[in-house]
């Protein structure tokens, strides 16, 4: 099993969720986060004063998938989250040793 962490632009969340649902992904955790990278930030005006916004709003999606669905999930995320502009985000993939569904006690792929 693998854990996918994808940092994407917030307005792409619904499209990515739909694309993952189409390939059979039934659950994920989504967190609103802020960060910066090459995109840096931008300046905004507030009451006549200009200030720098360093951390930009992003969405972090966390999904645990069986090994055989990994490439399909990665392709779905990249294809739907990509705008071609700086700040599209990143995807991280981790190995998952064990999963337990608390309610039923199911383990590993049965639990996801």
């Amino acid at each position: 099993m693998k854990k996918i962490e994808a940092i994407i632009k917030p307005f792409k969340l619904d499209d990515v969720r739909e694309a993952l649902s189409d390939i059979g992904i039934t659950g994920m955790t989504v967190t609103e986060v802020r960060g910066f990278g090459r995109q840096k930030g931008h300046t905004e005006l507030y009451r006549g004063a200009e200030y720098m916004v360093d951390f930009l709003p992003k969405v972090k999606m966390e999904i645990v998938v069986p090994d055989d669905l990994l490439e399909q999930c990665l392709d779905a995320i990249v294809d739907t989250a990509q705008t071609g502009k700086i700040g599209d985000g990143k995807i991280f993939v981790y190995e998952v040793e064990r999963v337990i569904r608390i309610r039923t006690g199911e383990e590993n792929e049965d639990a996801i």
Side-chain angles (χ1 to χ4, degrees):
M1 291 176 297
K2 301 288 191 264
K3 177 181 181 183
I4 300 169
E5 279 186 12
I7 312 294
I8 63 172
K9 292 182 175 184
F11 68 90
K12 286 294 193 173
L13 176 61
D14 287 336
D15 294 338
V16 173
R17 184 191 52 76
E18 237 176 78
L20 291 171
S21 180
D22 289 346
I23 59 172
I25 302 302
T26 58
M28 67 184 69
T29 301
V30 176
T31 311
E32 292 180 10
V33 296
R34 297 185 318 148
F36 74 95
R38 290 186 182 157
Q39 191 176 5
K40 302 287 187 251
H42 61 277
T43 57
E44 289 192 3
L45 214 55
Y46 179 72
R47 294 189 178 190
E50 193 173 280
Y51 67 98
M52 185 69 178
V53 177
D54 291 327
F55 292 95
L56 299 171
K58 301 287 181 182
V59 171
K60 179 166 80 169
M61 303 175 69
E62 297 173 88
I63 310 144
V64 176
V65 299
D67 290 335
D68 60 328
L69 281 180
L70 177 64
E71 290 305 318
Q72 279 183 278
C73 287
L74 295 176
D75 290 343
I77 294 167
V78 170
D79 291 346
T80 54
Q82 189 176 58
T83 66
K85 296 186 175 126
I86 195 164
D88 276 350
K90 292 214 175 21
I91 300 173
F92 305 93
V93 179
Y94 306 94
E95 189 70 40
V96 174
E97 288 184 32
R98 188 173 177 193
V99 177
I100 302 169
R101 185 186 312 267
I102 295 172
R103 178 178 53 87
T104 62
E106 292 170 299
E107 294 198 24
N108 300 325
E109 290 190 13
D110 292 335
I112 57 172

